[in-house]
Amino acid sequence: MCQLTALGRLNSCWGVVEHGRILGKLPGQMVATSQGVPLLVRRPALDEFVLLMKRGPTISYPKDINAMLLMMDIHPGDTVLESGSGSGAMSLFLSRAVGPQGRVISYEIRKDHHAVAKKNYRLWRDAWVIGHVEEWPDNVDFIKQDILTAAEDMKSITFDAVALDMLCPQAALPIVYPNLKQGGVCAVYLANITQVIELLEGIRRSKLPLLCERIVELTQREWLIQPARQDSRLAPRVEAQQNIDEEPQQDEEYLVQEQAVFGGSEGDESLSEHVAALGSVPYIARPYPWQVGHTAFLIKLRKFNPVHPDTVPDDSW
């Protein structure tokens, strides 16, 4: 991913591409490098942008962010609190989820992280204008402040959901939960299981009216599926060979199964003819050796009413 400039150039192991050959063209076109290698030019999607953008702290991965958005059940027009702006990845996804009528309030205690988050948000909005009619909503308020000291500032705000990505979220929960709407969800992003235990113990000791509904760990497994090659050419399909030392075995049950799968009967095409119809090129299908495994634990906390009206004690107790 690069930002195009009039005099810029893209250098890679496949050759060089001058930015001037790309500027002004619509995305989705092929451009050949100086070595004749074709490259597809397109604009990055949001999940690609947050993975490739310049960052300060480690970002929340898109697979985790999307799961947190589902946990919080965010709708357009919602008001969401975020604590831990980081590099701005979660802020961008929240901005899209709440839409132009919604609002995201993002707190960050560190000055450098606060600056990076604001810069990445601005870069994405500027790039979005180039390829879209409608502007990206300017609906995120980045605030450089410790969330633990923000109780007074949030007194008049009711949040539809809360997203916490910080080292000690149990310290922030007593500050933020009074402003979370009844039945609203607080989604917490934590790196290791020890932090999860400390979070739950903090809720228990503080007797906060927050119910832990789910604790999730997500993994992502990507696959490679492509035609097999041999000596830089497409490899031919090799028919399975039967061991000549064994007697051919094909009982009646097998014939019935073959006819059931392929609609076969006497005079119909054989199994090998059906296989040949699929093509003469074999395919490779296997997972990539590198995988996106554990990145975080996601905790779904829901605010509840601790006292049911039918169970309120009277003065006789």
Side-chain angles (χ1 to χ4, degrees):
M1 185 174 69
C2 62
Q3 190 170 1
L4 299 178
T5 59
L7 301 178
R9 57 190 302 178
L10 172 65
N11 297 289
S12 71
C13 58
W14 300 289
V16 178
V17 177
E18 303 291 338
H19 287 189
R21 297 177 53 203
I22 305 175
L23 285 169
K25 292 187 177 181
L26 293 175
Q29 300 190 38
M30 304 297 293
V31 176
T33 68
S34 58
Q35 298 181 10
V37 179
L39 298 179
L40 174 63
V41 179
R42 61 181 179 85
R43 293 193 175 93
L46 181 57
D47 62 322
E48 296 168 329
F49 177 80
V50 300
L51 289 174
L52 298 173
M53 67 185 184
K54 293 183 179 180
R55 60 182 73 169
T58 302
I59 63 166
S60 302
Y61 276 75
K63 67 181 182 69
D64 297 321
I65 295 177
N66 286 319
M68 292 179 70
L69 293 178
L70 290 175
M71 284 182 174
M72 293 183 285
D73 194 24
I74 296 177
H75 296 83
D78 283 353
T79 300
V80 182
L81 171 67
E82 178 192 15
S83 180
S85 305
S87 296
M90 174 66 78
S91 305
L92 282 166
F93 277 88
L94 289 173
S95 173
R96 182 171 66 177
V98 302
Q101 304 303 320
R103 182 185 179 191
V104 179
I105 302 177
S106 182
Y107 282 86
E108 175 58 56
I109 190 173
R110 290 186 51 168
K111 182 178 179 180
D112 53 344
H113 294 177
H114 173 74
V116 170
K118 291 182 64 176
K119 181 179 180 181
N120 286 330
Y121 184 76
R122 185 179 67 253
L123 286 174
W124 174 257
R125 292 190 71 241
D126 293 343
W128 179 266
V129 173
I130 299 174
H132 299 81
V133 176
E134 297 182 356
E135 292 186 357
W136 186 273
D138 187 11
N139 55 5
V140 180
D141 297 328
F142 290 99
I143 302 174
K144 182 194 168 299
Q145 183 180 351
D146 188 351
I147 191 69
L148 301 182
T149 65
E152 190 67 24
D153 299 332
M154 299 185 298
K155 183 183 297 185
S156 61
I157 306 174
T158 299
F159 297 108
D160 296 287
V162 175
L164 301 181
D165 181 5
M166 48 194 302
L167 292 175
C168 190
Q170 58 270 24
L173 285 177
I175 307 297
V176 303
Y177 98 87
N179 299 88
L180 178 63
K181 72 177 182 180
Q182 196 72 31
V185 171
C186 174
V188 185
Y189 182 101
L190 291 173
N192 59 67
I193 198 65
T194 303
Q195 291 176 298
V196 177
I197 295 173
E198 293 175 350
L199 170 66
L200 299 181
E201 176 62 11
I203 295 174
R204 187 190 69 83
R205 292 173 63 90
S206 301
K207 298 182 180 180
L208 297 176
L210 294 170
L211 176 66
C212 180
E213 292 188 347
R214 297 179 66 191
I215 301 174
V216 180
E217 179 189 27
L218 299 178
T219 58
Q220 180 175 313
R221 193 178 192 188
E222 298 190 8
W223 280 70
L224 170 67
I225 301 179
Q226 65 179 22
R229 291 184 174 273
Q230 185 177 19
D231 298 330
S232 301
R233 297 181 180 180
L234 294 177
R237 184 185 293 275
V238 178
E239 296 290 342
Q241 300 294 325
Q242 185 175 356
N243 192 333
I244 59 175
D245 295 332
E246 296 181 358
E247 292 292 333
Q249 296 182 0
Q250 189 175 28
D251 54 19
E252 183 179 355
E253 180 182 0
Y254 176 81
L255 291 174
V256 172
Q257 290 176 350
E258 181 180 337
Q259 292 176 6
V261 172
F262 295 101
S265 60
E266 291 188 10
D268 286 349
E269 295 178 344
S270 64
L271 176 61
S272 61
E273 290 173 334
H274 279 282
V275 173
L278 298 176
S280 59
V281 178
Y283 272 70
I284 295 174
R286 60 173 174 79
Y288 278 104
W290 58 89
Q291 298 294 335
V292 181
H294 169 80
T295 49
F297 291 100
L298 312 179
I299 303 92
K300 181 180 180 180
L301 306 174
R302 189 181 299 276
K303 182 178 178 180
F304 66 93
N305 187 351
V307 180
H308 192 276
D310 296 337
T311 61
V312 176
D314 53 29
D315 294 337
S316 61
W317 282 63

